[in-house]
Amino acid sequence: MNNHEAPTPINSKFFSKGAIVLSIFTLIGALGYLYRLIYGLGAATNLDNQFPWGIWIAIDVATGVALAAGGFTTAALADIFHRDKYHSLTRPALLTAMLGYTFVVVGLLADLGKYYNVWHPMLPSMWQGNSVLFEVGLCVTIYLTILYIEFFPIVIEKFMGHVKLPGILSKYNSLVESFLRISNRTLYRLLSLFIIAGVVLSCLHQSSLGTLMVIAPYKMHALWYTPILPLLFLLSAVTVGFPMVIFESILSSWSFKLKPEIKTLASIAKYTPILLFCYLSIKVADLAIRNAFGYLGEINIQSFYFILEMVIGVIIPMVILFQRDKRYSIKYLFLSASCIIFGILINRINVFLIAYTPLYSSSFYFPSFIEIVVTIGLMCGLVLIYRFLVIHLPVISIQRVKYKIVSKIPASKSVLEG
Amino acid sequence: MNKDRRKFLKVSTAITASLIPAVSVSSSEECEIDFNDAYGVLVDTTVCIGCRNCEKACNIENNLPEQPQGNFEDKSVFETNRRPDVSAYTVVNPSIDSKLPKYDSYAKIQCMHCNHPACVSACIVGALTKCRHGVVSWDAWKCMGCRYCLVACPFQIPAYEYEEALEPRVMKCTFCYDRIHNDKKPACVESCPVEALTFGKRGELIKLAHSKIESNPNKYYDHVYGEDEIGGTSWIYLASKEFINYDLPKLAEEKIPSLTESIQHGIFKSFLPPLALYGFLGLVMHSMRQEKKKEALDDEQS
Ligand code: SF4
Ligand code: SF4
């Protein structure tokens, strides 16, 4: 266990320049959100009867869920398949998943016409086993709970042994302390069960998100409408899992001036090109079997977006990552991870929006200003909370040598260190 | 029994009832509806004169705005192709290929009350249901406003009250549920001055439609729209030319929900696949852990 560094809170200021910019965007997004709550969907969005779903579903929910897949894929690799060297990645991935899903729910609430009824699917009398959306909803709810449970040990680790409640609450110190101790012990035993359950639930709802649009055969463009959409969604979510972890890890190492864990990242990246290749083959086979290749020749927005999705999101990163030396370059790793993430974003937008061509539409949906600022605000808010939590909780494993310190240390000393 | 107690009982039965799963797990249950015996309407577009009386009657019956898209006598609305929306459950459109000043025929469109409705299958909370009379209705209390029903409906029928901030509704033809249950015809059917709309049992209407075609083969295009489309609809249509001219899309016989439902039920077949996956992963986890332990032990010994 000692050969990799233990996770520690990062020693850094919360309000860096970037964080201030993010806060401004979050604030604007929050105002947009408030506007939607007060004035309703009609005033805030460009949705109509022809286009009932917009970017809040395609990006905030569908892409959000896909990008949070890093949580379950790393958990599967490190905890279930016991590839212990990846343990340093599980906590950041878990935190991303937890926040990712939380923001998916926040985004979904904005989109629901009657957000205050969001608990309805929990009532057995309203269970609707035929509805794909019902299954997605139920799985996401349970999975989100599990993510919080999985994250709780990290909170315990921080506070156990030194609970100090402020002022009058301090008499409960020992009570909280023993609660932490007990939950620590029980959680330790049960954690494996939750981790496996998390992986199963993820597989279920990641694929079901793809099944959602299968119910609209007459409205979906043939480039995307296929009965194997659920398989494609699951596979692409699994594929984007590790790149997402790599992406964040590199970003946070830049932002906190830490040394990126290039070896671990390069090693985990070796699975990605294989997955991408599988995905590409299935996509090509699917188009071939359904005789849909012809649609690529048509010059329209659909064929353009399809090619964009495949070239940037799949082919380019696949080619880069198949080369071993490129995997050991931070630049290329980051570039290919970004490509894959962008590809997933475009793919989900494609399936939910670009492919959606309703019969009687006279116009085309384009998101409103409020829709855009809310979406951006949610992303920025997520990053901010992530930053806050890694500063205060033991999430990221730091390697001892830091860029900043190295550069500040006089030459003689750094030679010693080196 | 005092009042409080009665209230308590009421509340607790409500709670218990809400905890009993209402899962309509398979579509086969839904098939218990005898579609021949359910109600339907036959729309004969060759008879319709485009008077818009049905629109007016519908708006009055359902407390919709009195003059939504121009007043009901105004014929200029025909210049644009209209869709049902939050202020009109039904609209009459002239056939697409006929031009002013003489439209050759008209079709009234509204919710088709499909035999196997995509909207019902899609709805996350079962707010949309199909009753044995064939009516597809919407429950305001259950609905959470996800608009998946709008996505699913192949006829692009349900409309959503986007402008409502607090209690937006899904708006669509109710098939005059209350009237039908009181042995009355739907308001639109009653209002039609030329009997372009015939209300009755669906099975009989289909027979009627076919006999109309048979006795007048020159007048009718030889197809009863809605008889087989997506597994059949309660509202069926006759026309003198292809139905696409009336915004009735070309649809296959395959029921829309059958694919998603078979995927769903395939994955959840008595929860076996998820449980199997769970067991498999558990096994992997366990054996990998043993292996690691052994390795560690070997390391120590060597
Ligand atoms: S026409 Fe649309 S709204 Fe009406 S029952 Fe069929 S699927 Fe549902
Ligand atoms: S909007 Fe309401 S009725 Fe339509 S699918 Fe969602 S919950 Fe069901």
Side-chain angles (χ1 to χ4, degrees), chain A residues 121-193:
Chain A
M122 303 300 118
L123 275 187
S125 63
M126 288 193 221
W127 282 358
Q128 216 283 76
N130 287 331
S131 170
V132 182
L133 195 59
F134 166 70
E135 192 233 306
V136 173
L138 205 61
C139 282
V140 167
T141 317
I142 305 175
Y143 183 47
L144 185 58
T145 320
I146 289 187
L147 284 170
Y148 280 108
I149 296 175
E150 282 181 37
F151 193 76
F152 197 49
I154 300 176
V155 182
I156 296 180
E157 189 178 315
K158 161 92 180 178
F159 292 105
M160 201 168 68
H162 25 83
V163 174
K164 247 194 236 120
L165 296 172
I168 188 156
L169 289 175
S170 59
K171 60 178 170 215
Y172 296 113
N173 274 350
S174 57
L175 196 73
V176 174
E177 190 77 50
S178 47
F179 167 70
L180 288 183
R181 243 171 246 293
I182 293 171
S183 28
N184 192 26
R185 233 176 295 137
T186 16
L187 275 182
Y188 184 76
R189 288 219 194 94
L190 296 179
L191 211 52
S192 324
L193 296 182

Side-chain angles (χ1 to χ4, degrees), chain A residues 42 114 116 120 131 212 219 360, chain B residues 122 140 142 148 153 162 166 247:
Chain A
K114 296 200 201 176
Y116 43 83
H120 275 181
S131 170
L212 276 183
K219 299 178 189 173
Y360 313 109
Chain B
K142 285 184 175 177
Y148 192 28
C153 172
Y162 289 99
L166 268 184
D247 266 344

Side-chain angles (χ1 to χ4, degrees), chain A residues 177-245:
Chain A
E177 190 77 50
S178 47
F179 167 70
L180 288 183
R181 243 171 246 293
I182 293 171
S183 28
N184 192 26
R185 233 176 295 137
T186 16
L187 275 182
Y188 184 76
R189 288 219 194 94
L190 296 179
L191 211 52
S192 324
L193 296 182
F194 284 124
I195 289 174
I196 304 179
V199 174
V200 174
L201 285 167
S202 293
C203 290
L204 289 178
H205 72 259
Q206 293 282 7
S207 57
S208 292
L209 265 180
T211 323
L212 276 183
M213 297 311 275
V214 176
I215 201 149
Y218 296 101
K219 299 178 189 173
M220 292 282 287
H221 193 275
L223 280 174
W224 289 278
Y225 185 80
T226 158
I228 61 163
L229 262 178
L231 175 69
L232 290 172
F233 264 54
L234 176 62
L235 188 57
S236 57
V238 171
T239 311
V240 80
F242 297 149
M244 191 63 196
V245 173

